[in-house]
Amino acid sequence: MKISTLNKSIAVILFLISQVGFSQKKDENIGTEVVNVVKPYSATISDAFKVKETPSLDDDDNSKKEEIKYNIFSFPVASTFTPAKGKAAGVDKPKKEKLFSNYATLGFGNYARIVGELFITEQLSRSDYVGGMLRHHSSQGGIEELILDDKFYNTSLDVTYGSQQRNFNWNADLGYQHQVYNWYGIEQNYFNRDEVFYNQIDPSHTYHNFNLGGKIGYEESFFTGASVKFNRFWDNYGSAENRFLVKPSFEFDIMEAAVKTNVIVDYVSGSFERNYFDLNEIKYGFTNFGLNPSISLTEDDWAFDIGVSLFYSADLENSDSKFFIYPNITASYKLVGDLMIFYAGADGNLQQNTYREFTNENPFLSPTLLIAPTSRPYDIFAGLKGKLAGNVSYNVRGSFMQENDKALFRNNAFPLSLDPALPNDVEPYAFGNSFEVVYDDLKTLSFFGELKADLSKNISAGINGTFRSLSAKNQEEVWNLPSITFGANVEANITEKWYAGLNLFFVGERKDQVIAPDILNDPAFYAFTTKTLDSYFDVNAHVGYKYNERLTLFLKGNNLFNQSNERWLNFPAQQIQVVLGANYKFDF
């Protein structure tokens, strides 16, 4: 059946039902009637019609809404509340410390010790400046049980003039240093002489150093800068040394990689008036030409520095020359961001040794040395560094190094014969109280660890240690090099006025050799005896009081355990040392 026919049938049925209901209301007794159907129902399809776009609505709910009018009756309410004015919370700001251009330090201590510094700088214009530094450290000695004088002086003056321009800067330096040391480390028991004998020995040794140099640096240029320095060093025994060093540097980019090149020209020449055992003059001279290109690469967490060092070394006195190639490779990888960084590499270099640098390390050398450069073919290393927390950093490293012609300090031999009455025929440094330089090929396996921490904004601390396994090719021992070194320090700002610090040092045992006539068997021959220098522990501390922004008072103490340490054989250090002084800052 079609839907339209069904609809019509339903409509008819509903109409009939309504009519029946209506009739029943009018007359409940409707009776009976017979209806005869003479024609069957035939369905028809009605015409289609279009629904109006807007149908008419005649629902009661769509009647027009009544407009409601209302009034608000307001009246003022009296209030006596008065809000308090807001006040911003205060922020604790540290007082900005005023900076001064100049300062002076002066201190006095036992052993007739004097320490002093004077630093002065002046800005001549917006770009030019001049500065100077005067330093002094001296002691009149007084170590117990010594017969020879043990006083020392160390005074230096440095002056600089510089200019800071927009794209480049430069400065010129001039300096002079005067040092006096004494060969006081004599073995009195060996000679068994009275004080008359020793009073005729003048153990003083004086050093003079003059330097002239300068630096220049450029920005936004492939020529990044250069340094040049001339050094003249001499002593009161006729020894003299000249050194001239030039280091220009270049940098440019190739395919987003930084390429750096350092050029080195290092010239040194000098002479000593005599040898240790005879009167023959010693002369030396070396010129080293070096080229050090390198390239820096970064990729994600990787960083590489790949380079090589090329050196040509000319021995001017012996008309000999050598060519060296060294690796310069380092790589690092961030395992856990900045918390853990792995690094490794291989490094090498040619080191120019000089009389001046040797005396800075050991001032008790005899003026009868052999000078030669040291070659380090490789130093292979690997380690981890990073941060354990935001304020704690660490670094651990292991390395294996080869050094050829490594300079070692060894005790000088005693003279074979001495006048029984006077020492006039012997130099003041020839009583086993000075040191020579010997060279050997050295292999070193070392482990290094360091930990630094800022415990708070007022306290910082650090600790480090190094363990070495040393082996020499020809020498019986690796003279005067310790296998273990250790250090620790703490710095604290106790209050705004008070501060303090503590430094600890530990140096392990060292080996040295005594070469003396064999008195028991045959005095005409030498006996070689290896001596072990005891390890020592040194404790240094300082405390200061800031009286005001200009004046600070301080107290320093060294060797607080009051040990008679021997850094070098037969050269005991001064025991507990105390210095009281002040620092004053000022402007002109």
Side-chain angles (χ1 to χ4, degrees):
M1 181 182 291
K2 293 182 179 181
I3 296 175
S4 59
T5 304
L6 179 61
N7 292 338
K8 285 185 177 184
S9 300
I10 295 173
V12 171
I13 293 172
L14 293 174
F15 176 75
L16 291 175
I17 293 172
S18 64
Q19 289 299 321
V20 171
F22 180 76
S23 302
Q24 288 178 347
K25 289 180 181 181
K26 184 177 180 181
D27 188 1
E28 294 181 357
N29 190 11
I30 61 175
T32 59
E33 184 177 355
V34 177
V35 178
N36 295 323
V37 178
V38 296
K39 184 179 179 180
Y41 174 77
S42 60
T44 60
I45 301 173
S46 63
D47 296 335
F49 61 93
K50 184 177 180 181
V51 179
K52 295 182 180 180
E53 292 183 0
T54 306
S56 60
L57 300 175
D58 53 1
D59 296 338
D60 294 339
D61 294 339
N62 288 278
S63 60
K64 185 178 179 181
K65 295 181 179 180
E66 295 291 336
E67 182 179 358
I68 300 174
K69 294 182 179 181
Y70 59 89
N71 294 322
I72 297 176
F73 298 96
S74 62
F75 59 91
V77 177
S79 175
T80 59
F81 172 73
T82 303
K85 293 182 179 180
K87 185 178 181 181
V91 178
D92 293 335
K93 277 187 173 182
K95 184 179 179 181
K96 188 175 181 181
E97 186 176 356
K98 183 178 180 180
L99 300 179
F100 295 90
S101 300
N102 317 293
Y103 72 85
T105 301
L106 184 62
F108 301 92
N110 60 335
Y111 294 101
R113 184 182 305 274
I114 300 176
V115 294
E117 284 188 9
L118 176 63
F119 175 76
I120 296 175
T121 182
E122 185 70 22
Q123 195 73 29
L124 302 178
S125 65
R126 296 185 61 182
S127 59
D128 296 355
Y129 63 90
V130 64
M133 170 71 82
L134 175 64
R135 293 187 177 97
H136 176 80
H137 184 195
S138 65
S139 171
Q140 297 302 314
I143 301 176
E144 295 181 0
E145 299 181 358
L146 290 184
I147 295 179
L148 299 183
D149 193 357
D150 61 316
K151 65 183 178 183
F152 68 86
Y153 297 87
N154 189 348
T155 304
S156 64
L157 174 64
D158 296 285
V159 179
T160 184
Y161 183 94
S163 179
Q164 182 73 45
Q165 303 296 330
R166 180 178 180 182
N167 295 324
F168 73 96
N169 60 84
W170 64 270
N171 68 279
D173 302 320
L174 178 67
Y176 171 75
Q177 185 177 22
H178 177 238
Q179 299 168 283
V180 177
Y181 292 92
N182 282 272
W183 291 298
Y184 66 85
I186 198 168
E187 183 60 62
Q188 298 100 313
N189 295 331
Y190 176 82
F191 294 101
N192 194 22
R193 303 297 178 91
D194 55 22
E195 292 188 6
V196 176
F197 175 86
Y198 293 111
N199 287 338
Q200 298 183 60
I201 299 176
D202 181 9
S204 65
H205 195 192
T206 303
Y207 301 120
H208 303 269
N209 186 73
F210 170 81
N211 65 82
L212 177 66
K215 295 181 180 178
I216 187 169
Y218 284 91
E219 297 181 2
E220 301 178 357
S221 173
F222 75 98
F223 175 60
T224 58
S227 64
V228 57
K229 186 174 184 179
F230 170 75
N231 203 86
R232 170 73 175 179
F233 184 68
W234 70 99
D235 65 13
N236 60 330
Y237 278 81
S239 311
E241 179 182 78
N242 296 317
R243 188 181 187 187
F244 183 73
L245 180 62
V246 181
K247 289 184 178 181
S249 300
F250 305 88
E251 182 176 352
F252 52 89
D253 295 334
I254 296 181
M255 299 179 62
E256 298 183 355
V259 179
K260 301 178 182 179
T261 301
N262 298 319
V263 180
I264 300 173
V265 179
D266 193 350
Y267 164 83
V268 63
S269 67
S271 64
F272 298 99
E273 284 194 345
R274 56 163 295 172
N275 198 305
Y276 187 79
F277 292 102
D278 54 49
L279 300 178
N280 294 328
E281 184 182 17
I282 300 176
K283 290 185 177 182
Y284 60 94
F286 295 90
T287 302
N288 296 336
F289 299 94
L291 185 65
N292 175 222
S294 65
I295 185 171
S296 299
L297 303 173
T298 56
E299 182 67 27
D300 296 331
D301 292 330
W302 284 96
F304 298 92
D305 282 325
I306 304 173
V308 63
S309 292
L310 309 174
F311 277 94
Y312 174 81
S313 180
D315 186 343
L316 305 179
E317 291 295 327
N318 299 311
S319 300
D320 188 18
S321 60
K322 296 179 181 179
F323 184 74
F324 302 92
I325 300 178
Y326 304 104
N328 296 124
I329 302 172
T330 58
S332 64
Y333 177 69
K334 294 183 177 179
L335 296 174
V336 189
D338 292 333
L339 299 179
M340 183 178 293
I341 301 174
F342 171 78
Y343 65 92
D347 194 11
N349 193 27
L350 181 65
Q351 177 182 338
Q352 184 81 284
N353 294 318
T354 66
Y355 183 32
R356 160 71 170 169
E357 293 181 353
F358 284 158
T359 58
N360 285 338
E361 187 174 355
N362 184 349
F364 308 112
L365 299 175
S366 64
T368 58
L369 306 180
L370 299 176
I371 306 295
T374 296
S375 173
R376 188 174 73 241
Y378 57 83
D379 180 7
I380 303 173
F381 59 89
L384 287 174
K385 63 181 179 180
K387 294 183 178 180
L388 298 176
N391 57 348
V392 180
S393 61
Y394 67 93
N395 184 14
V396 292
R397 166 179 167 150
S399 69
F400 180 72
M401 179 170 57
Q402 171 72 42
E403 294 175 285
N404 297 333
D405 294 326
K406 170 69 174 179
L408 303 172
F409 300 122
R410 187 179 65 181
N411 189 248
N412 266 321
F414 289 81
L416 277 173
S417 62
L418 287 174
D419 186 289
L422 299 175
N424 295 333
D425 61 337
V426 180
E427 295 290 347
Y429 52 80
F431 294 90
N433 57 337
S434 66
F435 297 84
E436 64 175 334
V437 175
V438 295
Y439 296 87
D440 200 359
D441 297 342
L442 197 66
K443 291 183 179 180
T444 304
L445 176 64
S446 66
F447 297 94
F448 168 80
E450 182 181 41
L451 191 66
K452 295 181 179 180
D454 292 326
L455 304 178
S456 69
K457 66 178 182 179
N458 293 321
I459 302 176
S460 62
I463 185 173
N464 65 82
T466 302
F467 171 78
R468 302 182 184 92
S469 177
L470 306 163
S471 62
K473 182 179 180 180
N474 300 313
Q475 297 292 324
E476 295 180 10
E477 298 286 349
V478 183
W479 309 118
N480 284 296
L481 287 182
S483 296
I484 300 176
T485 57
F486 168 83
N489 69 284
V490 178
E491 297 290 336
N493 291 320
I494 303 172
T495 66
E496 291 185 0
K497 295 288 187 179
W498 290 92
Y499 66 90
L502 180 68
N503 294 277
L504 310 177
F505 301 96
F506 174 80
V507 178
E509 293 181 346
R510 289 92 58 222
K511 303 286 187 178
D512 206 335
Q513 191 173 60
V514 176
I515 306 174
D518 190 355
I519 300 176
L520 298 177
N521 298 314
D522 189 349
F525 295 94
Y526 281 108
F528 297 81
T529 305
T530 299
K531 288 288 188 74
T532 299
L533 281 75
D534 294 335
S535 59
Y536 61 89
F537 196 71
D538 196 0
V539 179
N540 304 323
H542 65 271
V543 62
Y545 175 73
K546 299 178 181 179
Y547 181 77
N548 55 36
E549 61 182 6
R550 293 179 179 269
L551 180 62
T552 299
L553 307 177
F554 63 85
L555 177 66
K556 295 182 179 181
N558 295 333
N559 195 8
L560 296 182
F561 282 0
N562 202 32
Q563 293 184 336
S564 183
N565 305 325
E566 283 190 355
R567 174 63 182 91
W568 308 103
L569 181 63
N570 296 326
F571 281 86
Q574 295 176 348
Q575 294 178 306
I576 185 170
Q577 306 153 33
V578 179
V579 174
L580 177 64
N583 174 274
Y584 184 76
K585 304 173 185 178
F586 61 96
D587 287 327
F588 289 116

